[in-house]
Amino acid sequence: MKFVRMLAFAIAAVAASPSLASEPVKWNGWDNDLFTRATAEKRFVILDLEAVWCHWCHVMEKTTYADPQVEDLLASKYLPVRVDQDANPDLSSRYGDWGWPATIVFGPDGTEIAKIRGYIEPERMQALLKAVIDDPSPGPSVGEAFEVKPSASAFLTREQRATLVKNYDESYEDKIGGWGDSQKYIDADSMDYAISRAEAGAAVATTRARQTLDAAIALIDPVWGGVFQYSEAGSWAHPHFEKIMSFQAQYIRQYSQAYALWKHPKYLAAARDIERYLTTFLASPDGAFYVSQDADLDHDTDGHKYYALGDTDRRKLGMPRIDKNIYARENGWAISGLIALYDVTNDPKVLAIAEKAAKWVNDHRALPDGGFRHGDKDRGGPYLGDTMAMGQAFLDLYAATGNRDWLAAAAKAGDYVGTTFKDTAGGFLTSKTSEAKSGVFAKPAKLVDDQIQVARFMNLLNRYFVSESYRELASHAMRYLTSASADMPRPLPGVLLADQDLAVEPTHMTIVGQKDDARAQALHAVARAFPARYKRLEWLDLREGKLPNADVEYPDLGEPAAFACSNRICSYPSFSAAELEATVKQMAKLRPSRASLN
């Protein structure tokens, strides 16, 4: 509380302070010698973790960091460090919960003193900087880091599941849709969990998923397509105008899945509008994808003015900046989103775009032994997120095409994750190398969201290969999650999804027939479009030999056929699209629910 009192006193003191002549802030980059230098010079480190697309980051640069008193305070006692969060996944993952801009103040030894979310006006920044100088003890924003001791079991108990479901249900905004209160957007895991419950026939989940999907259409740019980051003020009608790859890819995937499940054309139109933006504005000439587009045209023309215009008037003014870095992680997300759209449209152009991006990333970002760099030149890393996103993209490409090269690439990515990022003490590391050696950075980051992705990805690899190593890697992540989730205050639907995936077999469909046979292709198209969030889809062309996981021996019937399996029971063969649809629906009823399994 001493820091709070000091900050309040400083705010009052600076209100009457005169402006001083000063020099612009001299920003440093993040490097391994940062805290060695800070210790030698007896300076604090202030990290401005920004995003190039972020409106409030630009406002803070124009106002707060141009304020003479802020400039003088920084010059007197601080090492100012500015970092692009998209280019630095280790730092952005560690401080992602603090939003952009995130401002973190460190002692010379790397200990955290203050963490502040979002825009800081000049007077408050002056007060913060003075308060730290006067009293460098950690403030209330720096909470105690809890230790996670992995659980003995890789599955949630009934009580844990009940608590997580209760927290998830209570986070829903019944009046206007969406999970959470002030900022409105589709939370990825929350929507995936709602869709999984809707697939099982849950009426409330269906209502919530569709209410949120319908409301979020308001975030799609009606002129160029693409989805804005979020809406503020507890409404879907006040968007922030950044267009970020993570949201483009997620919304394409989820609107495509919604169309598969409910067949309403507005969901397909939404997915197509976002794909139109992605392939028009964020596609590089070589076929890979850029990162994002800025919310504002410039300091004088913000997104509210700019995006209210039509196409012609926008182009007369110019184009908001597009971040033309090409990152493996963002491309993996884009590929998975496009494949979901291909699954429900059977549009070969969409598949070709996704495959071209995957091949570019393989050629330009691949590391030896199956991993991936983030960008062309990384400060740190390698980072878990890049290999995970590309590994999932490869699995999605395999299911969409039956091409075993994609499955082999997914397996290599899984092997790399296991050997590079697994921590024997529990969980998986966000980065192979630490951001620094002292203070808070002496302890490597292990994020809950990363563990969720590893658990689900390794589980799918295990379903395709029946590999003890993949099963154990999935369980290793889940043992961390079952322990960590008990201490996390926010809803964690992703943990419920991971627990469900590990406990229940996916919907399993196998096409048996030659891949150049139009009848087999038609069956495969039906299987791809089947609305199962969690499925295992394979195409057995006997000319290529057995599938990696030959848990079922499929006969050659002399013509293409499809088989559906659930709960270790397989159907009679289906020879037409209508037969396959009916068979899969029937077999899906045999899948046990997660609640019935312990």
Side-chain angles (χ1 to χ4, degrees):
M1 293 302 293
K2 185 179 178 183
F3 180 87
V4 177
R5 290 195 297 271
M6 292 293 297
L7 182 58
F9 177 80
I11 290 174
V14 301
S17 299
S19 296
L20 304 173
S22 57
E23 295 293 328
V25 178
K26 296 179 180 179
W27 293 102
N28 298 272
W30 190 275
D31 61 57
N32 291 333
D33 298 327
L34 183 65
F35 292 106
T36 300
R37 179 183 166 193
T39 299
E41 297 180 9
K42 297 181 180 180
R43 290 175 176 270
F44 301 102
V45 172
I46 182 168
L47 171 62
D48 175 33
L49 196 54
E50 62 161 12
V52 297
W53 40 260
C54 169
H55 167 77
W56 285 109
C57 300
H58 302 327
V59 174
M60 198 158 158
E61 178 183 8
K62 183 180 180 181
T63 59
T64 304
Y65 288 120
D67 178 81
Q69 292 189 51
V70 170
E71 291 174 342
D72 281 345
L73 285 163
L74 290 175
S76 68
K77 276 293 186 179
Y78 289 85
L79 281 179
V81 178
R82 175 168 283 167
V83 169
D84 172 19
Q85 66 88 22
D86 284 316
N88 295 269
D90 48 357
L91 289 168
S92 65
S93 295
R94 188 182 286 269
Y95 294 112
D97 286 345
W98 296 90
W100 318 127
T103 303
I104 303 92
V105 181
F106 302 94
D109 61 351
T111 57
E112 294 173 341
I113 296 174
K115 296 186 287 189
I116 300 180
R117 176 186 289 109
Y119 174 70
I120 308 173
E121 61 275 10
E123 293 78 11
R124 188 179 177 212
M125 178 62 82
Q126 295 168 26
L128 168 67
L129 298 176
K130 287 186 175 182
V132 169
I133 293 170
D134 293 338
D135 178 12
S137 58
S141 62
V142 181
E144 290 277 339
F146 60 87
E147 292 290 332
V148 177
K149 183 179 180 182
S151 300
S153 173
F155 296 101
L156 298 170
T157 65
R158 286 183 184 271
E159 292 76 16
Q160 285 177 312
R161 287 202 308 275
T163 298
L164 289 174
V165 169
K166 180 174 182 290
N167 291 342
Y168 167 77
D169 286 338
E170 289 178 349
S171 72
Y172 190 75
E173 172 54 64
D174 288 302
K175 185 176 180 181
I176 63 172
W179 292 266
D181 297 321
S182 68
Q183 293 182 350
K184 307 308 296 181
Y185 60 93
I186 301 178
D187 178 72
D189 285 346
S190 294
M191 179 57 73
D192 283 343
Y193 188 60
I195 288 176
S196 74
R197 295 167 92 180
E199 288 171 359
V204 171
T206 298
T207 298
R208 289 177 173 177
R210 297 197 66 172
Q211 180 187 23
T212 302
L213 288 161
D214 292 350
I217 290 174
L219 296 180
I220 297 176
D221 182 351
V223 178
W224 286 342
V227 63
F228 300 127
Q229 184 186 10
Y230 65 88
S231 182
E232 61 183 356
S235 165
W236 293 96
H238 299 91
H240 270 226
F241 296 96
E242 303 91 352
K243 292 181 179 177
I244 307 168
M245 177 57 78
S246 60
F247 284 94
Q248 313 310 311
Q250 172 202 329
Y251 281 49
I252 290 175
R253 177 177 64 82
Q254 291 181 326
Y255 276 112
S256 296
Q257 291 170 336
Y259 177 71
L261 185 57
W262 293 299
K263 298 297 187 295
H264 198 294
K266 65 184 172 184
Y267 298 140
L268 181 58
R272 281 291 198 184
D273 279 343
I274 302 168
E275 176 258 338
R276 172 169 59 89
Y277 169 77
L278 192 67
T279 55
T280 302
F281 289 85
L282 294 187
S284 74
D286 294 327
F289 290 101
Y290 301 137
V291 182
S292 62
Q293 187 169 30
D294 207 326
D296 307 314
L297 179 63
D298 51 42
H299 284 310
D300 298 318
T301 308
D302 68 12
H304 294 90
K305 297 177 183 177
Y306 186 85
Y307 286 103
L309 303 173
D311 177 71
T312 301
D313 289 334
R314 289 183 187 181
R315 293 181 186 272
K316 284 180 181 178
L317 291 176
M319 184 73 63
R321 176 188 172 185
I322 291 175
D323 182 350
K324 293 189 175 181
N325 284 294
I326 297 176
Y327 300 133
R329 181 184 62 181
E330 278 74 0
N331 274 271
W333 294 338
I335 293 162
S336 291
L338 290 168
I339 289 301
L341 180 59
Y342 170 66
D343 286 343
V344 298
T345 61
N346 205 31
D347 183 346
K349 293 180 181 178
V350 174
L351 175 61
I353 292 167
E355 290 187 308
K356 188 174 182 180
K359 291 173 182 176
W360 190 97
V361 176
N362 258 341
D363 290 342
H364 296 87
R365 297 289 182 264
L367 294 168
D369 303 322
F372 289 87
R373 298 195 315 275
H374 184 57
D376 186 39
K377 294 180 181 178
D378 294 342
R379 171 192 55 76
Y383 308 114
L384 174 61
D386 294 289
T387 301
M388 282 298 307
M390 287 305 302
Q392 183 61 57
F394 293 146
L395 272 186
D396 294 335
L397 283 163
Y398 171 65
T401 64
N403 183 338
R404 298 187 190 185
D405 290 342
W406 295 126
L407 184 61
K412 285 184 66 178
D415 295 340
Y416 185 85
V417 167
T419 58
T420 306
F421 299 102
K422 180 182 177 183
D423 185 355
T424 56
F428 291 79
L429 306 177
T430 296
S431 176
K432 175 63 175 176
T433 55
S434 178
E435 306 97 310
K437 303 299 182 185
S438 59
V440 67
F441 302 102
K443 182 179 179 181
K446 288 186 285 189
L447 301 189
V448 166
D449 289 341
D450 286 342
Q451 316 309 314
I452 291 169
Q453 296 307 312
V454 172
R456 298 182 70 189
F457 174 64
M458 294 300 178
N459 172 68
L460 265 180
L461 282 181
N462 179 48
R463 302 297 184 183
Y464 277 110
F465 285 96
V466 187
S467 163
E468 177 63 24
S469 64
Y470 296 137
R471 187 196 67 79
E472 173 52 32
L473 289 171
S475 298
H476 186 76
M478 274 304 302
R479 285 191 289 270
Y480 188 92
L481 284 173
T482 55
S483 177
S485 60
D487 295 309
M488 296 292 289
R490 62 185 172 94
L492 292 168
V495 177
L496 290 167
L497 286 165
D499 176 69
Q500 181 173 281
D501 287 359
L502 267 67
V504 179
E505 290 187 9
T507 297
H508 182 194
M509 293 171 284
T510 305
I511 310 303
V512 182
Q514 296 181 0
K515 291 176 180 174
D516 53 0
D517 188 316
R519 296 170 297 174
Q521 293 168 2
L523 289 170
H524 190 250
V526 171
R528 287 200 319 272
F530 184 77
R533 178 201 57 81
Y534 175 46
K535 63 185 174 185
R536 171 185 163 196
L537 174 57
E538 298 176 286
W539 194 339
L540 174 58
D541 186 333
L542 293 170
R543 296 173 298 183
E544 299 174 346
K546 292 183 177 181
L547 294 170
N549 176 10
D551 52 349
V552 179
E553 293 290 339
Y554 297 103
D556 183 357
L557 299 175
E559 62 177 311
F563 296 83
C565 299
S566 182
N567 199 26
R568 301 185 181 182
I569 302 171
C570 290
S571 69
Y572 288 111
S574 300
F575 299 99
S576 69
E579 285 181 357
L580 178 56
E581 287 183 6
T583 298
V584 172
K585 289 178 181 178
Q586 181 180 13
M587 296 302 294
K589 295 178 181 178
L590 299 175
R591 290 178 63 202
S593 68
R594 177 64 185 98
S596 69
L597 293 180
N598 79 337

